[in-house]
Amino acid sequence: MEYCNIPHLLQTVVKAANISNQLPTGENLAFALTDKSYEAQTTDLQMKISDLISNLVRFVTPQTESTEYDDIIEAADQCLEYVAAGLDNKAGIKAVPDLALSKLSLYELPKPQEIFKHTIDNSESPFVPSLDEKPNAMVPLEVYSEGMHPYQYELESLAQEFWQLEPSQVQPFKELEEVSLIMVENPEGFYGMLNELSQAKEIAIDLEHHSFRTYQGFVCLMQISTRNTDYIIDTLKVWDLMPKLLGVFTNPAIIKVLHGADSDIPWMQKDFKLYIVNMFDTGQAARILMYARFGLAYLLETICSVKTDKSYQLADWRVRPLSPEMIKYARMDTHYLLHIFDVLKNELSLKAQQLRLHPLELAREVFQKSRDICLKRYEKQDLKWVALKRGIEFLNPQQQSILDALANWRDEVARREDENPNFILKGRTLISLATDPPQTVKELLVKVHQQSSILQKEANTIVEIIKKTLAKKSEKAVKKLPKIVQPVQKQKKIETHRPVLYEQKFTVKLIPSNKLSIFAPQNKLEPSQKMKEKCQKIAESFTSIFQIVVEEGMEMEIENTTQETTQATQPQDLEEGEEIPQSIQEKYELPLKNKLSSDRKIKTTTKKQKISDKKDIRIGWLDNIELAPVKRKNLFKKKR
Ligand code: AMP
Ligand code: MN
Ligand code: ZN
């Protein structure tokens, strides 16, 4: 420690992280890469960084040979472990742990599970939703058989009322200080909140969840915002009252606004028997509106100009009392959400009109996607193989059977103690025990850095398991492993599948326009002068064909930089029998080094096209193309 100046190091790292966050990504990156010097610079830098990371990773975990993403994570993990080992476990308990500390799985906070012990079921039997009563029922509870989603019918027959879909009048949002914050920590507070919520037309909801020191995970906090109040519910204090929110949550007259609710929905089912009917997921809206990024932080920044520190996502939300920073973070997750909902609804309506759809169609689409999320059912996790997905393929059959036996042991203990198996023993350690099995407790404890009280207690058992497995003929056990032996690369594949929204027929025609809009993403971080130069460059290569107009978000317009546009752009100039070009790039070979991205290609087709995402119908940087819907299935269904 005395060798390096920690505060300085930290500052530098934070600065580096900040700067790296400002580097262009996605569309912005594609755009930036059209500049050759930028490409050369980044490639150079990339190699340097990659070397540096390799060195670091090898320094921390010398056994590592490659430097895949997972190895980096492992190395970081290992670092934290070293730190943990060097800390007196007791020292930090009173103080609210800072982020780094709270990430340490060895950090011994009292486990709050005692409070809701009666609701923990770590058995392998499937989760069965059990409701005592079913408010807002269209179909009575008795009709449902075990394992069904109790609100399936209500969700499937759900249709939003017009006022819920229509653009709202967007009021300026209220700052945190203008709204009262109520911490809900006792029955009185809870019922008071329930009373206000039941009168609301929309409420925003979010959860904070814990998973390091538990098997199935549990909710530590629920935030709810109305137009007038931010509530932070300490779920650990009012755990058994939480199911009483079901009436509000399933009331279709109250819109529940959440952001990225894919996890929240099952979490609420599991811990509180809560289901949601009529949700608007702002994350889904951001997708349909083609926002550059879909995270809440991005919406907060672009819509509300508020910066957040999303690293609190990973805080240890079990901690009590919550630090003011944690409270603020939690609160901000719902405080602005109703305003964002208003804004997005307006944008959806505008966009629908631009696409010549029914003005409410896209809003309805968001509600439909959100409904699909609400239909999800919580399913228990099986964590036997957690953190064991790498490095297994090199084990011989005997090593595999040891690993299998140890994984079983680890899983059993984790379920019994309500811990994450990776806390009991790291996957990496388990593999090293299998490859080089210790035969005595002493050998075991030398080999394992991670010293938890559970490990001490279980040391004998572990050695017994190893000895027993070694003694057994091992051929048969091998069969149990294959499902975890997956090619590693597959996990990193970027999601390419986009669910089908609806089918639509299009004719796409070139409009005899003399304007080409360059898609210039709103990029506040790029000095506009630089951007201007880049645009100028591109413009110069285009001007023989098009007049350049740069889209909004840029402060510049290049108009009529050259003479009249050539007639070559007119469709009637196409040779007889010649097809409308597949894309402008192909026809005119515009000198873009990188076509902005392959799915930007303009489809000139009158065939049926599955519209899975706005990206397919996005014209991208070409505005002078008209997209004419011919026939559309799955139109706005509601009778008016
Ligand atoms: P949020 O919706 O961003 O407030 O996140 C809710 C909860 O999801 C957090 O309390 C975390 O438990 C969990 N979570 C969110 N993001 C991550 C992540 N990147 N890695 C692990 N857990 C996460
Ligand atoms: Mn959330
Ligand atoms: Zn949150």
Side-chain angles (χ1 to χ4, degrees), residues 206-207 259-260 264:
D206 187 44
L207 299 176
H259 183 91
D264 305 51

Side-chain angles (χ1 to χ4, degrees), residues 361-378:
E361 166 128 0
L362 291 182
R364 193 193 55 99
E365 209 75 66
V366 174
F367 273 106
Q368 212 164 61
K369 293 214 143 200
S370 308
R371 183 204 59 186
D372 291 346
I373 297 171
C374 292
L375 279 166
K376 278 175 79 162
R377 282 177 307 156
Y378 169 72

Side-chain angles (χ1 to χ4, degrees), residues 190-259:
F190 185 89
Y191 288 111
M193 169 190 73
L194 206 54
N195 187 40
E196 193 199 329
L197 296 185
S198 55
Q199 289 155 35
K201 278 161 82 180
E202 317 82 0
I203 59 177
I205 307 169
D206 187 44
L207 299 176
E208 303 308 328
H209 185 256
H210 179 80
S211 58
F212 315 136
R213 296 290 312 270
T214 157
Y215 196 88
Q216 302 286 352
F218 56 87
V219 175
C220 296
L221 223 54
M222 182 184 283
Q223 307 95 284
I224 302 183
S225 290
T226 65
R227 302 260 179 203
N228 307 310
T229 316
D230 296 327
Y231 292 99
I232 295 186
I233 312 172
D234 185 342
T235 52
L236 300 176
K237 298 230 171 75
V238 291
W239 190 272
D240 290 328
L241 291 176
M242 293 301 288
K244 297 196 186 297
L245 281 164
L246 190 63
V248 171
F249 281 18
T250 56
N251 181 351
I254 303 173
I255 296 178
K256 272 68 66 175
V257 182
L258 283 84
H259 183 91

Side-chain angles (χ1 to χ4, degrees), residues 58 118 136 164 184 272 352 492 593 604 606 640:
R58 274 186 214 115
H118 52 288
N136 302 303
Q164 296 179 321
V184 178
F272 310 126
K492 275 175 216 155
K593 185 169 173 294
T604 56
T606 48
R640 267 143 284 146

Side-chain angles (χ1 to χ4, degrees), residues 73-89:
I73 303 234
E74 287 249 315
D77 248 19
Q78 183 72 62
C79 273
L80 288 174
E81 249 174 64
Y82 289 150
V83 175
L87 281 172
D88 175 8
N89 265 348

